[in-house]
Amino acid sequence: MADAIVSVVLERIAALVEEKIRDEVNLVRGVKKEVLKLSIDLNTVRNVLEDAEKKGYKEKSIKDWLTRLENTTYEMDDVLDEWNYSILKFQIEQSSNGVAAADADADVVPPKCTVRFCIPCSFLCFKKVSVRRGIALKIKQVKERLDLILAEKDRFHFNEITSQPSDRESWRGQTTSIVDKEEVYGRDLEREALVSKLVGEGGSSEEGLIGGIRVVSIVGVGGLGKTTLAQLAYNDNRVMNCFELRIWISVSDPFDEVEIAKRIVEKAGGPLPNTMDLDGLLQRLIESISGKKFLLVLDDVWTEDDTKWKPLKNAIKSGGHGSKVLVTTRNERVAIMMMGEFIKNDQMIHRLGVLNDEDCWSLLGRIALCGKNKDQCEEFENTGKQITKKCNGLPLAAKTLGSLLCFKNTLEEWESVLNSEIWKLEVVEDDLFRHLFLSYNELSPTLKRCFSYCAVFPKDSRIDVDELITRWMAMGYLGSNADDDWKVRGRGYFDNLAMRSLFQDFYMKDDDIKIKSFMMHDIVHDFAEFLRKNVGSRMKNTTCKDCSPLLVSRVKKYRSLFRCKEVLDPHVCDCLTSVRLLDLSCSGLQAIPKEIEKLIHLRWLNLSHNEFVGDDLKTICKLYNLQFLWVGLCGLQEIPLEIGNLSELIHLDLYGNRGLRELPESLCNLSKLESLDVNWCSRLCGLPQGIHMMKKLKHLYNKGTDSLKQYPQGIAELTSLVTLDKVFLCDGSQVGWLKNLNRLSGKVELWIEISSCCDSVENARKAELGKKMHIQELRIYLYRSTTTASSSSSTSVSNEVLDALHPHPNLQHLTIEGYNGSRLPGWIVSPLNQLTSIELNDCAILVSLPLLGKLPLLETLRISGLYELEYVGREFLGIATTTTTSSCSSGTNNIIDGGFPKLKHLRFWSCPKWNKWEDITTAQEEEEEKYSIMPCLTELIIHDCSSLTELPQHLLRKVSSSLKKLDIRGSTQLEQVYGDKEGQPWKSISRHNPHLEIIYFHLPLFRPRDYLF
C-alpha cells in the first residue's frame, strides 16, 4: 500500500510546481527547496517499492519500514491539504473584504479564483504570517521524519523494478493435469457444463473461434478452483475419447511464448528443432498438430498482451476441426483477448462460482478431522460448520482453515479460530492471502488504493458503483487531470477490478450495460482489510478519552466515517480532524455543530435525510476543500450566499427540499460544479441568472420541479450539459435554446406550449433535436396556449411543431402526450429508427395510425386517449412487398418487410369510438414463410374500448403461438365473445397455444397517469 499513497503525494507536489509559478511566486517561505527535494526522494523510493513490498511480505523489519513510510507520507498529504485550505480561506476572506469595502449593500459574492495544489500571485500579499509559518514548520517536521525513513532504505538493498520477470510461478509452482477426484467436492454441475462446451460445438457459430479452433475460458478469483475444474474436465472420459491429443501447459507469468511452444511440441511427440528460436518452434508445432483434433489447456494465464498470444494462435490453427483451447485466468480481459475479435457474447466464458456450505464443510472437514477419532469428530462438527461459513464457499480458504484445524485437538482451540478475524490468523496470511497477493500485485498503485478502500464498507454490503466512484474521487485516487472525465476514469478503474474477479454479485438494470452495484466476497473483503491493517498504526498517538478506538482507527485507515453521529456529539475531537469522507445521513440531526469547521480536510459530506433548522449551512460553507455535498430532504427553506465559497465543489445535491423557492446568485461562483440536483424541489421558481458562468455543469437533475417554468437565457451556453431531465416552456420561453446542447443524453422531457403564431414552429426547428444523438428517451408533452385563436390553427401549428421536433434515429423510447395534431409526423415510422418503445397518450383528434409495423426494433407500443380513433386498418402493420431480381437467375424474389417483427407488448387504452380493427387476409394468414406478423407478441391489452365488438381472427391466429396474455377490460361485447372458453372465437385463437391466458373485468378501469402535474 505504500506505493499508493506515495504516488498520491507525488502527484500533488507535481501539480503544485506545474503552474508556471516556480520563479514567479514564493512557496511557503523557506520550504521551496524542501518540497522539491521531497519530490525527488519520493520518486527515487517509489522505484524500489515493488521489491520492498515483496520482501516485506516475509521480513518484519522491511514491513515495519514500509508502514512508517506509508503513515508519514499520509501525514505529508494532510499537511499539503492544510496548506491548500489556508490559501483558499485567505482568498475568500480577501474577496469578502473587498466586496464589503466596495458596496456594503451587495448581495452577490463575486467570482473567486480557485486554487488546488498551486499558489496564485495573490499569495504574495498573504499577511497571516503566523499561519504561513505554522504550515512551513509542519512541512519541515514531516520532511525530517521522511528523510530518516528514506535514509534507511539503502540498508535493505532493494532492487529497482522496471520490467524484470515476475516471480508468480515460484510462488504458485507448476500445475499438472493430475487430480484426486475424491478430494473435490461440489463441482459436478460445473464439470458437466464445461465438458459439454469442450466436446460439443457450443456457443454461436463464431463464438470464441480462431480459425477452426474454439477457445473456452474459466474465470474466477484466486483460490476458487479454476485449475481443479480444468483438471476434472481434462481427465473426463468423454473428453479423453473426443480428442486425439491432450496437452496441459502451466503458463503463469511471464507468458513465455518460446517456452510454451517448446512444451507443446514435446507433448505432441514432435522433434525439437536444432535452435530454440520462436519461428523454428512454431514450424515444428504446426507439423506436430497438423490435422489432429487436440485439447490444449493453458493454465493460469495473466498477460493481456495479444502480441504474445498471436504467434501461437496462428500456429494452432493447423489443428483438426473441433480442436479446443481451455484457458484458466483470474482476469476476464485475458479471456476476451484470447477468444479474439469474434467474441459476440460470453457463452464460452465459464465464470466459476463458490461452493455451497455443505460441500465447503465436506472439503474442510476431510482435512480438519483427519486422524481424529469418532468422538472428536462429533464434538468438533458444529463448531467446524460455523467456521466453514468464514470461507464463504472459497475452496482454498476451506483447505487453509482445514489444515490449521488439523493440528488443534481441543474444542477451545477450534472455538478460538471461530472467534478470530480470519485475516488475523497467521496461516491465512501465509497460505490464502499469498494467492490473492498475486492478483493484487498485478494492479497499478491507483487500482491498489481503489481496491483496498472498499474494505471501508461492512461485509455483505451492496455497494453502489457511482457512489463508490465519488468516494474514490474525494480520496484523491482518481487524480487531478483536468482534461479527463473523472467519472469515466473511475468507471474504467471499477471495470478493471471487476474483470479481475475481485468483485461479484453484480446488479444491472434491464436495459443498461453498466453495472449498478456489486458485493465483495468475504475473503476478498478480509484481504482488503488486511492491506489496510497497519495504515495509521504508527501515526501520532492520541490520548482522547471521548472517541472510541474503533472510530479513531477508521479515520486513520480510511479517512472515512459513515453513519457515525457520535463524531459530532458533543464536539469534533482533534483526533478525527483528518477525516475526508463523512456520512451523517439519516442521523436525526436537527443542527450541525459549529465545530464541524475543524474538519478542514473534508471532501465528501452527506447530510441528507436530516431536518435542519436555521442557518446551519453557513457552517458547512467554511469547508473550502469540499467536493461533494448532499443536503437532500433536509427541509431547507433557503441556501446561504456563502455557498459560493465552496469553490472546489463538484456535486451539490438539494433533492427533495420542497420549501426551497430560489437559489442564490453566488451559486454561479462554483466554476467546478458538474452536477446540480434539484429533483423534487417542487416550489423552486427559477435558476440563477448567472448560470452561464457554470461552464463545467454537466448534469442538471430537475424532475418534479413543476414551479420551474422559465429558464435563464444563459442556460443555452452550457454546452457541456449532458443531463437535463425536464424542460417546461411557457410564458414566452422557447425550446430553441436547446440548439447547442448536443451532448444531452439519457431521458429528456419537453413540455411545450402551442400558440397559433409561427414562432412555435420556428423555435422547434431551432432546437435541432436531430443533432442530439445521445438522447435515449424523449417525452414530448404539448398543450394549447390560452391565447390560441382557434382549434383549427392550433391543429395546424401542432402538426408543424411535431414535424420540426425530429429526433436523432438513435432514440430508443418516445412518448407523445397532449398532441392536438391531426396526423403523426413521417419521421416516426422511418425504418432507420432505433425505437424500441412508443407511447401515444391523449392525442385527442388523431383519427388514424401510421405504418408503425415498419419499425424493425419496436418492442412496446402503448396507445391511449385517442378519442376520435374509429378504424385501425391493415396499413398499421406496415407490411410492404419488395420485388428483387436475382443476378444468378431470371426469376424474381418477393421480400416482405414490416409486420412488427420485434413487438412484444401492444396496448390500446381508452379509445371509446374505435369500432373496427381490419383483419389480415386468409392468404396472409396461411402463407407462413412470406408473412411473419407480430412473431414475438406476448401481451395484448385492450382497455376501455367500448365500441370494439370483435378482434381480427386471422391476425390473432397468426400470433397465437407466441401470445401469453389477452387482457380485455371495459368492453362488454369483447368480454362476452372471448370470455366463453367453449365459444368458437376463443377456440380459434387458443388452438395453437393452450397456455394462452385471458383476463377480463366487467367494470371499466380508470387509465393511470405516467407523470405528475
Side-chain angles (χ1 to χ4, degrees):
M1 279 294 294
D3 58 347
I5 182 58
V6 167
S7 297
V8 169
V9 171
L10 276 171
E11 183 182 345
R12 296 189 71 175
I13 294 174
L16 184 150
V17 297
E18 243 175 31
E19 300 295 322
K20 299 179 181 178
I21 62 167
R22 228 178 289 209
D23 299 318
E24 300 173 20
V25 178
N26 290 327
L27 301 179
V28 172
R29 183 170 297 172
V31 297
K32 177 177 179 179
K33 290 182 180 179
E34 282 81 353
V35 170
L36 294 176
K37 178 66 164 57
L38 175 64
S39 177
I40 295 170
D41 291 344
L42 288 177
N43 255 316
T44 301
V45 78
R46 185 169 61 170
N47 293 333
V48 301
L49 282 180
E50 185 175 342
D51 186 48
E53 291 196 343
K54 288 178 179 178
K55 291 178 177 177
Y57 182 72
K58 289 295 183 184
E59 298 181 35
K60 187 176 184 304
S61 61
I62 295 178
K63 184 183 293 187
D64 289 344
W65 179 83
L66 284 168
T67 299
R68 286 185 287 120
L69 172 63
E70 183 175 358
N71 293 331
T72 309
T73 310
Y74 265 115
E75 288 187 63
M76 179 58 78
D77 191 39
D78 283 344
V79 173
L80 293 174
D81 214 34
E82 188 175 339
W83 183 3
N84 189 61
Y85 173 84
S86 298
I87 298 166
L88 291 170
K89 183 178 180 183
F90 168 75
Q91 283 186 297
I92 289 165
E93 289 174 352
Q94 289 291 96
S95 179
S96 298
N97 291 337
V99 170
D103 187 356
D105 297 323
D107 62 352
V108 177
V109 179
K112 292 171 288 296
C113 180
T114 56
V115 182
R116 193 159 188 78
F117 319 141
C118 62
I119 315 302
C121 293
S122 60
F123 191 75
L124 287 169
C125 59
F126 192 176
K127 296 180 180 178
K128 294 197 174 181
V129 178
S130 60
V131 175
R132 188 169 65 185
R133 286 177 177 170
I135 296 171
L137 181 61
K138 288 182 180 180
I139 291 176
K140 288 182 177 180
Q141 289 174 341
V142 177
K143 172 139 190 335
E144 287 172 1
R145 292 201 297 276
L146 273 173
D147 286 342
L148 292 175
I149 295 169
L150 296 177
E152 294 181 50
K153 74 175 176 63
D154 293 336
R155 71 183 178 92
F156 295 117
H157 306 293
F158 297 132
N159 296 315
E160 187 170 321
I161 303 292
T162 52
S163 59
Q164 73 178 48
S166 168
D167 59 356
R168 284 195 195 97
E169 195 163 320
S170 64
W171 276 32
R172 185 173 187 255
Q174 287 272 336
T175 63
T176 70
S177 62
I178 301 170
V179 62
D180 185 346
K181 296 180 182 179
E182 293 185 0
E183 294 182 355
V184 182
Y185 296 89
R187 292 304 188 195
D188 292 342
L189 293 178
E190 304 268 8
R191 183 194 63 210
E192 289 299 314
L194 182 58
V195 168
S196 68
K197 291 176 181 177
L198 294 177
V199 301
E201 287 302 317
S204 61
S205 60
E206 293 182 337
E207 178 67 23
L209 280 177
I210 49 174
I213 314 301
R214 193 178 300 279
V215 178
V216 181
S217 299
I218 306 174
V219 178
V221 71
L224 199 53
K226 300 181 294 297
T227 298
T228 301
L229 180 60
Q231 291 167 333
L232 289 173
Y234 186 88
N235 292 287
D236 188 280
N237 287 332
R238 291 164 292 179
V239 172
M240 295 171 68
N241 295 330
C242 184
F243 298 99
E244 183 179 350
L245 280 176
R246 290 179 305 127
I247 301 169
W248 181 283
I249 305 293
S250 179
V251 179
S252 197
D253 196 37
F255 189 96
D256 187 342
E257 57 266 56
V258 172
E259 182 63 24
I260 293 171
K262 176 184 173 184
R263 290 192 216 168
I264 294 175
V265 172
E266 288 176 335
K267 295 186 178 184
L272 292 174
N274 295 327
T275 59
M276 293 293 111
D277 65 287
L278 181 59
D279 184 68
L281 283 167
L282 292 178
Q283 291 297 332
R284 289 297 170 87
L285 188 155
I286 293 171
E287 295 169 5
S288 301
I289 66 172
S290 180
K292 298 178 182 178
K293 186 178 179 182
F294 67 83
L295 170 64
L296 171 63
V297 177
L298 298 176
D299 185 41
D300 194 29
V301 181
W302 289 79
T303 186
E304 297 179 37
D305 185 357
D306 67 337
T307 62
K308 296 280 188 180
W309 165 236
K310 189 170 289 185
L312 285 169
K313 177 178 72 172
N314 292 332
I316 64 174
K317 290 178 182 178
S318 61
H321 180 75
S323 295
K324 301 288 196 310
V325 177
L326 178 59
V327 177
T328 72
T329 180
R330 304 180 184 204
N331 188 348
E332 194 164 317
R333 292 172 186 261
V334 172
I336 293 171
M337 179 274 293
M338 298 195 75
M339 291 174 73
E341 65 273 17
F342 291 113
I343 182 169
K344 292 182 176 179
N345 54 51
D346 55 6
Q347 291 183 14
M348 291 296 109
I349 297 179
H350 187 95
R351 296 177 181 84
L352 190 57
V354 296
L355 299 177
N356 61 41
D357 286 346
E358 183 179 349
D359 290 326
C360 200
W361 163 243
S362 298
L363 179 59
L364 185 148
R366 178 187 176 91
I367 301 170
L369 299 176
C370 181
K372 293 181 172 58
N373 59 45
K374 182 178 180 182
D375 291 339
Q376 285 178 312
C377 291
E378 292 177 354
E379 180 184 10
F380 296 153
E381 183 173 354
N382 286 335
T383 304
K385 288 183 176 179
Q386 293 181 62
I387 292 173
T388 298
K389 293 180 179 179
K390 286 177 172 283
C391 302
N392 249 58
L394 195 68
L396 180 60
K399 291 179 179 179
T400 301
L401 290 180
S403 299
L404 173 66
L405 294 168
C406 182
F407 300 100
K408 296 187 181 296
N409 298 311
T410 67
L411 183 61
E412 289 76 13
E413 289 177 304
W414 279 55
E415 288 176 342
S416 176
V417 172
L418 173 63
N419 296 323
S420 299
E421 289 285 352
I422 192 169
W423 57 269
K424 293 181 180 178
L425 299 172
E426 185 175 349
V427 67
V428 170
E429 182 178 339
D430 288 342
D431 294 342
L432 178 57
F433 287 172
R434 181 182 64 181
H435 290 266
L436 293 175
F437 262 116
L438 294 177
S439 294
Y440 176 75
N441 286 332
E442 182 76 3
L443 303 176
S444 67
T446 298
L447 288 176
K448 285 179 179 178
R449 56 184 182 261
C450 287
F451 166 69
S452 65
Y453 179 80
C454 293
V456 73
F457 299 99
K459 284 185 179 179
D460 299 320
S461 294
R462 178 153 289 280
I463 304 169
D464 183 87
V465 177
D466 289 336
E467 182 180 326
L468 175 64
I469 291 171
T470 66
R471 294 181 179 185
W472 284 346
M473 179 64 178
M475 288 294 293
Y477 298 163
L478 303 185
S480 58
N481 186 352
D483 297 327
D484 197 3
D485 187 326
W486 60 271
K487 286 186 177 180
V488 173
R489 204 178 323 134
R491 176 63 68 165
Y493 291 165
F494 168 78
D495 289 342
N496 199 324
L497 293 171
M499 283 284 194
R500 295 173 188 273
S501 306
L502 294 171
F503 300 143
Q504 64 181 32
D505 295 330
F506 302 117
Y507 166 74
M508 290 183 287
K509 290 185 177 179
D510 292 339
D511 297 330
D512 203 345
I513 61 173
K514 288 185 177 180
I515 296 170
K516 177 73 175 171
S517 64
F518 68 99
M519 298 180 74
M520 293 179 73
H521 190 284
D522 281 0
I523 300 296
V524 176
H525 186 283
D526 287 331
F527 177 62
E529 191 172 357
F530 166 78
L531 294 170
R532 294 255 176 171
K533 72 175 182 177
N534 292 320
V535 175
S537 61
R538 303 211 173 210
M539 296 174 72
K540 185 173 65 175
N541 291 327
T542 175
T543 57
C544 176
K545 298 179 181 179
D546 296 324
C547 300
S548 72
L550 179 61
L551 207 63
V552 176
S553 174
R554 291 186 74 78
V555 171
K556 290 180 177 179
K557 288 182 180 180
Y558 304 104
R559 302 295 198 272
S560 305
L561 288 175
F562 301 110
R563 306 290 172 88
C564 297
K565 184 181 176 182
E566 58 268 30
V567 71
L568 300 179
D569 188 18
H571 63 276
V572 177
C573 182
D574 288 344
C575 63
L576 304 178
T577 54
S578 63
V579 68
R580 293 192 176 186
L581 286 82
L582 180 60
D583 187 347
L584 294 173
S585 61
C586 305
S587 297
L589 295 175
Q590 293 184 345
I592 303 173
K594 191 176 185 301
E595 290 198 1
I596 199 174
E597 295 176 16
K598 290 183 178 180
L599 305 181
I600 64 171
H601 301 289
L602 267 186
R603 263 85 159 161
W604 193 102
L605 178 60
N606 189 346
L607 295 169
S608 57
H609 293 266
N610 291 296
E611 287 287 334
F612 296 135
V613 180
D615 261 355
D616 286 326
L617 288 191
K618 285 188 177 180
T619 303
I620 296 173
C621 294
K622 295 182 180 180
L623 300 173
Y624 304 132
N625 279 316
L626 206 59
Q627 294 177 314
F628 300 90
L629 175 60
W630 286 265
V631 284
L633 294 168
C634 289
L636 299 177
Q637 303 290 320
E638 62 178 348
I639 305 298
L641 294 175
E642 289 79 2
I643 193 75
N645 293 340
L646 301 180
S647 58
E648 299 296 308
L649 207 61
I650 296 173
H651 176 86
L652 176 59
D653 189 328
L654 302 171
Y655 172 93
N657 288 296
R658 298 180 184 272
L660 192 62
R661 294 180 180 273
E662 61 180 359
L663 301 177
E665 286 294 322
S666 59
L667 194 71
C668 302
N669 292 336
L670 306 181
S671 59
K672 294 185 179 181
L673 194 70
E674 296 182 10
S675 299
L676 176 61
D677 190 340
V678 292
N679 280 341
W680 305 107
C681 294
S682 54
R683 296 185 183 178
L684 186 66
C685 298
L687 298 172
Q689 292 299 311
I691 197 169
H692 61 279
M693 297 164 58
M694 303 167 73
K695 299 296 186 183
K696 291 192 176 181
L697 191 65
K698 296 180 179 179
H699 307 283
L700 178 55
Y701 303 102
N702 64 331
K703 287 183 290 190
T705 52
D706 298 330
S707 298
L708 183 60
K709 298 182 179 180
Q710 282 190 309
Y711 297 82
Q713 291 183 351
I715 198 170
E717 299 179 32
L718 301 182
T719 54
S720 295
L721 209 58
V722 172
T723 304
L724 182 61
D725 292 318
K726 181 176 178 180
V727 180
F728 201 127
L729 302 166
C730 69
D731 298 330
S733 297
Q734 300 292 349
V735 74
W737 57 260
L738 293 173
K739 177 177 181 178
N740 295 319
L741 306 187
N742 291 331
R743 296 187 182 182
L744 286 178
S745 67
K747 175 182 173 182
V748 175
E749 288 186 10
L750 296 180
W751 293 69
I752 301 175
E753 183 180 43
I754 300 295
S755 65
S756 57
C757 64
C758 297
D759 288 348
S760 296
V761 179
E762 185 58 31
N763 272 283
R765 291 195 184 100
K766 286 182 180 178
E768 296 184 353
L769 293 187
K771 293 184 177 180
K772 293 157 183 54
M773 61 185 298
H774 305 294
I775 295 179
Q776 295 175 313
E777 180 175 357
L778 178 62
R779 296 191 171 198
I780 302 174
Y781 300 92
L782 301 138
Y783 56 96
R784 288 174 58 185
S785 167
T786 55
T787 61
T788 302
S790 66
S791 59
S792 60
S793 62
S794 171
T795 299
S796 176
V797 173
S798 294
N799 288 341
E800 293 187 54
V801 166
L802 201 54
D803 284 342
L805 294 175
H806 185 175
H808 193 278
N810 286 353
L811 187 70
Q812 296 179 12
H813 309 282
L814 173 66
T815 296
I816 299 174
E817 182 151 343
Y819 178 53
N820 198 41
S822 58
R823 57 170 176 76
L824 289 173
W827 55 257
I828 202 172
V829 295
S830 169
L832 298 177
N833 285 344
Q834 303 295 304
L835 285 168
T836 60
S837 73
I838 294 178
E839 188 160 350
L840 304 174
N841 298 326
D842 292 332
C843 301
I845 65 173
L846 274 183
V847 295
S848 64
L849 295 173
L851 289 67
L852 295 173
K854 292 171 62 177
L855 296 173
L857 302 177
L858 190 66
E859 296 180 0
T860 302
L861 176 60
R862 297 187 178 98
I863 298 170
S864 64
L866 272 63
Y867 304 111
E868 298 299 322
L869 180 69
E870 297 182 10
Y871 180 80
V872 175
R874 280 198 292 264
E875 67 276 3
F876 171 64
L877 299 173
I879 296 175
T881 303
T882 305
T883 302
T884 61
T885 303
S886 174
S887 59
C888 300
S889 66
S890 58
T892 61
N893 296 319
N894 291 332
I895 300 175
I896 309 299
D897 295 319
F900 292 104
K902 298 289 185 181
L903 191 67
K904 298 177 181 178
H905 310 282
L906 176 59
R907 184 187 80 179
F908 290 94
W909 206 319
S910 194
C911 301
K913 294 185 180 181
W914 181 28
N915 56 59
K916 178 67 175 178
W917 187 350
E918 187 180 20
D919 205 349
I920 60 175
T921 65
T922 304
Q924 287 174 324
E925 179 189 355
E926 293 176 352
E927 293 186 38
E928 285 286 338
E929 295 181 1
K930 284 188 178 181
Y931 292 94
S932 178
I933 301 174
M934 300 186 190
C936 303
L937 190 69
T938 60
E939 180 182 69
L940 174 59
I941 298 175
I942 301 175
H943 287 184
D944 297 337
C945 299
S946 54
S947 299
L948 192 62
T949 59
E950 63 178 346
L951 299 178
Q953 292 296 312
H954 295 301
L955 175 60
L956 285 180
R957 283 199 293 267
K958 186 86 169 174
V959 305
S960 63
S961 60
S962 64
L963 195 63
K964 295 181 180 179
K965 183 172 77 170
L966 176 61
D967 187 344
I968 301 174
R969 313 187 194 192
S971 180
T972 305
Q973 287 184 284
L974 287 181
E975 292 169 13
Q976 290 174 350
V977 171
Y978 294 98
D980 182 5
K981 296 293 183 71
E982 299 301 321
Q984 184 60 32
W986 172 254
K987 287 183 177 180
S988 70
I989 63 173
S990 62
R991 181 174 54 197
H992 303 296
N993 186 358
H995 302 292
L996 178 61
E997 175 189 9
I998 184 170
I999 301 172
Y1000 60 93
F1001 290 90
H1002 292 294
L1003 294 176
L1005 300 177
F1006 289 102
R1007 180 168 60 85
R1009 308 293 289 185
D1010 293 322
Y1011 60 90
L1012 297 174
F1013 286 104

